[in-house]
Amino acid sequence: MNAPVRVLVCDDQALIRTGFATIIDAQPDLEVVGECGDGRAAVDLAGRLSPDIVVMDVRMPVLGGIEATRLLAGAGVANPVKVLVVTTFNLDEYVYEALRAGASGFLLKDAPPAQLLQGIRTVASGAALLAPEVTRQLVGRYAARIRPAPAASEDTVLTPRELEVLRLIADGRSNSEIAATLVISQETVKTYVSRILTKLDLRDRVQAVVYAYRRGLVT
């Protein structure tokens, strides 16, 4: 049997934190190794407990979830930890920054338990959790606030078709939707996505979305 996925739960609301931990610990393939109520404690505990994934709130005292995510999973971190951000969305205007900080995905706090569990398993497996319809709402909502960076030399390493796929990823399209739009197979789409991530040294589709908006490839 595979070892359970080790989960650290970080939320400043004790009721939510306990609820998450109870739901997660009830699963045979998941194990809560720690709980905490602020980002600083999350960083410290992650260093001591080596969780596979941190379920991270955004707004917390002492150290917020965005900065904690950057310290756990941001660029240059020697041993990054996968972070799944949970947010109220309508009240939280910082989710985009959390994704830029290195989060592998996010869920709404009022998501059903099954969605939370599936989200943890998805991120733990190495995939990004960014639902296409939510991508459009989230990134599109804050696109006007994202200041495009100057074109970088690495942009030119992408072929025209790869740029086309990248733009569709940034638009929140799933592999099946990209395949239908470009009239190619889903396997071919997966190949393009893999090449894009490799060429641009990106970890997952979340980073690809952020990259595309930062470079002004989509508006």
Side-chain angles (χ1 to χ4, degrees):
M1 292 180 61
N2 294 328
V5 173
R6 295 165 55 81
V7 183
L8 173 62
V9 178
C10 183
D11 195 296
D12 66 329
Q13 298 182 55
L15 187 60
I16 290 178
R17 187 170 68 244
T18 301
F20 282 175
T22 301
I23 292 168
I24 295 166
D25 244 352
Q27 304 302 305
D29 60 331
L30 304 176
E31 175 189 8
V32 175
V33 296
E35 300 176 38
C36 56
D38 66 76
R40 173 55 61 192
V43 174
D44 293 342
L45 279 177
R48 289 192 278 117
L49 301 174
S50 299
D52 298 306
I53 180 171
V54 178
V55 176
M56 181 81 75
D57 189 16
V58 173
R59 293 182 174 180
M60 294 182 293
V62 184
L63 186 69
I66 294 173
E67 185 57 32
T69 296
R70 187 173 291 111
L71 293 174
L72 290 170
V77 175
N79 297 299
V81 180
K82 296 181 178 70
V83 177
L84 174 61
V85 171
V86 289
T87 175
T88 52
F89 187 69
N90 288 334
L91 299 177
D92 195 334
E93 299 182 356
Y94 304 106
V95 179
Y96 171 78
E97 292 300 329
L99 297 176
R100 281 191 63 196
S104 291
F106 69 93
L107 283 174
L108 306 187
K109 279 192 176 179
D110 59 359
Q115 191 172 342
L116 169 67
L117 297 172
Q118 185 57 42
I120 292 171
R121 293 181 179 113
T122 297
V123 171
S125 72
L129 181 70
L130 199 61
E133 64 275 11
V134 182
T135 304
R136 299 188 187 104
Q137 295 175 30
L138 176 68
V139 184
R141 179 176 177 181
Y142 301 115
R145 294 171 46 193
I146 303 171
R147 185 177 301 169
S153 58
E154 61 262 30
D155 293 347
T156 61
V157 305
L158 298 183
T159 67
R161 179 62 103 181
E162 288 166 350
L163 280 170
E164 196 171 7
V165 171
L166 177 57
R167 290 188 177 98
L168 291 171
I169 292 173
D171 189 44
R173 307 293 184 89
S174 66
N175 283 356
S176 60
E177 290 173 328
I178 295 174
T181 299
L182 301 181
V183 195
I184 56 179
S185 71
Q186 289 194 49
E187 287 302 316
T188 301
V189 173
K190 290 179 181 178
T191 299
Y192 278 126
V193 173
S194 178
R195 287 177 184 170
I196 291 167
L197 297 181
T198 299
K199 286 184 176 182
L200 299 180
D201 193 25
L202 303 174
R203 185 186 60 217
D204 51 39
R205 293 172 78 105
V206 173
Q207 291 192 348
V209 171
V210 173
Y211 179 94
Y213 274 87
R214 284 287 296 159
R215 293 300 177 193
L217 299 177
V218 287
T219 58

